[in-house]
Amino acid sequence: MRKELVVAVSAIAICVGIAGCGASQTSGGPTNDAAKTEESSTDSKSSASSDAQSEKPIGVSINLSDDSILTFDGNAASAQLVDNMHDAKPPKSCTVRYDQMGALPTVTTTDARTIREVYKRLARMHVEGESNMSMTDNYHLVAFELQDGTKVSFNFEGEGILVRDGQNYSVTDDGKLWPYVRQLQEQYLREKKAGADELAITVDDKEELVTQCPTSAPAGETVRVGVFSVLDAELHVSVNGDEHFGEFVTAEQYEFVMPSTPVTVRVWTSSDGYPGS
């Protein structure tokens, strides 16, 4: 029997170490594979604070394919979600869960940037067709509560099976949604067990380049900052204004050792020396 899923949506923010605002639309920015212009038995909430209401609304414009999970069946609630995101009317909240036999938490966020990222990744999930496959104990979830109270839910059995109106469909996670959901869960669990000796990490990321960064760390710990790769620009990361405080260990990961004081991590791009600059 298929386990019944109950969406628990609450207005509390989860900080995933990525903050800031960008252009009027998310398209046209740095290269980002998540978007192209074109349960555990109890729900978990982040203890970190994030002022989602203070951010200027940003519209998300994506050329959705006919087989996008957001468009394939003409679902009215999904269509409303698409229109609201385009018109810079973000949902009040988003709830996600990557389920491993009830071992991982359900996470709810009201952070506008995090909601945009989940949406962009979900939009690139494609429906391949109806399926007779089914799974148990892997009940993944992505759900939104829109500003007018409309609920938009996507229930899954494992990573590749969408359950919709009693029918199962095979899907492909081309936007790498599930790794991002796992990242949100891991961040929540880390924050939950953070010790009193941890120091704050603030992120200045107006171009929305950061994919992962902790919100705190104890002195002496190696902090890893995930970033998107960019084209035709140079990517910069500084810690308390010092670009040499840490180093890139890969094109998409910057590391530094946490000092004995709180830090601000700034991430930005420059185009000096590139064609068209």
Side-chain angles (χ1 to χ4, degrees), residues 164-234:
R164 193 79 155 182
D165 296 328
Q167 175 63 53
N168 289 6
Y169 298 88
S170 297
V171 296
T172 56
D173 185 19
D174 295 339
K176 299 180 180 179
L177 169 67
W178 299 126
Y180 185 68
V181 171
R182 289 293 303 272
Q183 178 181 310
L184 295 180
Q185 292 174 304
E186 291 166 3
Q187 181 68 24
Y188 164 77
L189 292 172
R190 186 185 187 285
E191 291 175 354
K192 186 177 180 181
K193 66 180 182 181
D197 61 336
E198 300 213 356
L199 301 160
I201 300 174
T202 302
V203 177
D204 179 358
D205 178 31
K206 295 180 174 60
E207 297 177 57
E208 299 198 354
L209 299 161
V210 174
T211 61
Q212 184 175 16
C213 182
T215 57
S216 65
E221 180 173 283
T222 298
V223 177
R224 296 174 176 84
V225 182
V227 294
F228 286 122
S229 59
V230 298
L231 299 174
D232 300 327
E234 184 174 358

Side-chain angles (χ1 to χ4, degrees), residues 15-94:
C15 178
V16 294
I18 47 178
C21 56
S24 59
Q25 293 187 340
T26 59
S27 58
T31 300
N32 177 348
D33 287 341
K36 303 286 184 181
T37 303
E38 0 175 80
E39 170 157 289
S40 64
S41 58
T42 58
D43 289 346
S44 302
K45 306 169 186 178
S46 171
S47 60
S49 63
S50 178
D51 187 4
Q53 303 304 317
S54 65
E55 182 185 86
K56 180 180 178 181
I58 298 174
V60 180
S61 180
I62 303 175
N63 292 328
L64 297 171
S65 63
D66 291 339
D67 62 353
S68 167
I69 195 172
L70 296 172
T71 59
F72 84 101
D73 62 349
N75 181 271
S78 295
Q80 183 179 345
L81 171 64
V82 172
D83 289 342
N84 285 4
M85 293 299 289
H86 180 272
D87 296 339
K89 299 176 181 178
K92 290 192 294 185
S93 64
C94 174

Side-chain angles (χ1 to χ4, degrees), residues 199 217-221 223 239-240 245 256-263:
L199 301 160
E221 180 173 283
V223 177
V239 179
N240 288 345
F245 197 95
F256 67 93
V257 176
M258 189 71 183
S260 57
T261 58
V263 299

